[in-house]
């Protein structure tokens, strides 16, 4: 319940700030006291269902929007080592870490490339950018006429609206992090 009270408080404060409302403004709109609203925002109160309905009605928001963890709250993701898609006879493996969300406009992947593998990718639509960071090993990225060698810790950003490829020129597995940004 303590976690839920924090979520409610964070959501209420976020909505209030987005609308540039004071606690007095919210108290007038909801018929909930300023003191109680302040306690709710701090996560120190355990508001009743009736109180939450008053807040939702007064602010013209859904009841459930107060119960959700705020998007500004952190969210943990991890790679499931058994869930991936592969190409090049299993030598090029792609793990989705953070899936695409239209509000964010991007997605995040981990890629493992076995030694000597080259993966060719079709062009994306106009405005799509890829950001690739070498986490372990080395990679050669080619996009159109551009060709760049990357070592561990280096990052390359490029427009991916033309054919491009990733190559592991080494005798060890290369690990990449890839962000695809849609505009």
């Amino acid at each position: 319940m303590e976690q839920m009270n924090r979520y409610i408080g964070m959501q209420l404060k976020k909505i209030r700030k987005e609308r540039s409302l004071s606690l007095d403004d919210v108290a007038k709109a909801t018929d909930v006291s300023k003191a109680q609203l302040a306690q709710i925002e701090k996560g120190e109160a355990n508001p009743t269902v009736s109180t939450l309905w008053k807040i939702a009605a007064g602010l013209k928001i859904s009841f459930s929007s107060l119960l959700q963890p705020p998007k500004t709250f952190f969210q943990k993701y991890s790679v499931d080592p058994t869930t991936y898609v592969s190409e090049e006879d299993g030598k090029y493996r792609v793990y989705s870490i953070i899936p695409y969300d239209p509000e964010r406009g991007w997605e995040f992947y981990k890629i493992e490339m076995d030694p000597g593998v080259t993966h060719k990718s079709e062009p994306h639509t106009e405005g799509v950018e890829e950001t690739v960071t070498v986490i372990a090993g080395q990679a050669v990225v080619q996009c159109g006429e551009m060709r760049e060698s990357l070592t561990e810790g280096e990052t390359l950003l490029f427009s991916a609206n033309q054919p491009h490829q990733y190559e592991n020129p080494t005798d060890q597995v290369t690990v990449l992090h890839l962000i695809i940004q849609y505009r």
Side-chain angles (χ1 to χ4, degrees):
M1 193 61 171
E2 190 176 309
Q3 181 78 343
M4 181 58 69
N5 291 339
R6 280 198 304 268
Y7 288 165
I8 292 167
M10 292 170 78
Q11 285 294 73
L12 177 57
K13 187 172 187 174
K14 176 180 169 253
I15 292 164
R16 185 174 65 80
K17 295 289 186 184
E18 286 173 350
R19 296 181 181 184
S20 300
L21 298 173
S22 68
L23 282 172
D24 283 326
D25 296 332
V26 176
K28 287 175 190 168
T30 63
D31 201 28
V32 175
S33 75
K34 179 179 171 181
Q36 188 175 12
L37 290 169
Q39 284 186 313
I40 292 170
E41 281 192 3
K42 293 176 188 173
E44 296 172 352
N46 186 11
T48 64
V49 171
S50 297
T51 299
L52 293 178
W53 275 113
K54 283 182 179 182
I55 294 169
L59 294 176
K60 297 178 177 41
I61 59 173
S62 70
F63 181 86
S64 63
S65 67
L66 289 170
L67 307 179
Q68 301 303 311
K71 288 196 178 212
T72 57
F73 198 70
F74 60 89
Q75 188 169 0
K76 183 178 178 180
Y77 294 92
S78 61
V79 176
D80 179 349
T82 63
T83 306
Y84 60 89
V85 293
S86 66
E87 286 193 13
E88 319 304 337
D89 296 322
K91 296 177 182 178
Y92 179 87
R93 297 168 299 282
V94 179
Y95 303 82
S96 176
I97 298 177
I98 301 176
Y100 177 75
D101 177 334
E103 287 184 31
R104 266 195 306 268
W106 55 268
E107 53 197 346
F108 181 54
Y109 297 96
K110 174 185 171 185
I111 298 172
E112 294 176 344
M113 298 175 64
D114 288 347
V117 168
T118 298
H119 174 75
K120 295 182 180 185
S121 182
E122 295 297 317
H124 298 290
T125 57
E126 188 69 36
V128 174
E129 293 180 342
E130 289 193 15
T131 305
V132 61
T133 301
V134 178
I135 301 304
Q138 297 177 26
V140 176
V141 179
Q142 185 169 335
C143 184
E145 300 300 315
M146 186 270 310
R147 183 176 171 90
E148 191 70 42
S149 294
L150 301 172
T151 59
E152 195 169 309
E154 292 184 318
T155 299
L156 181 68
L157 170 68
F158 63 94
S159 295
N161 61 342
Q162 52 191 321
H164 49 285
Q165 70 180 33
Y166 295 103
E167 174 187 346
N168 176 357
T170 71
D171 61 357
Q172 297 179 357
V173 172
T174 290
V175 178
L176 308 173
H177 280 173
L178 174 67
I179 298 171
I180 302 178
Q181 173 80 44
Y182 300 89
R183 299 193 192 275

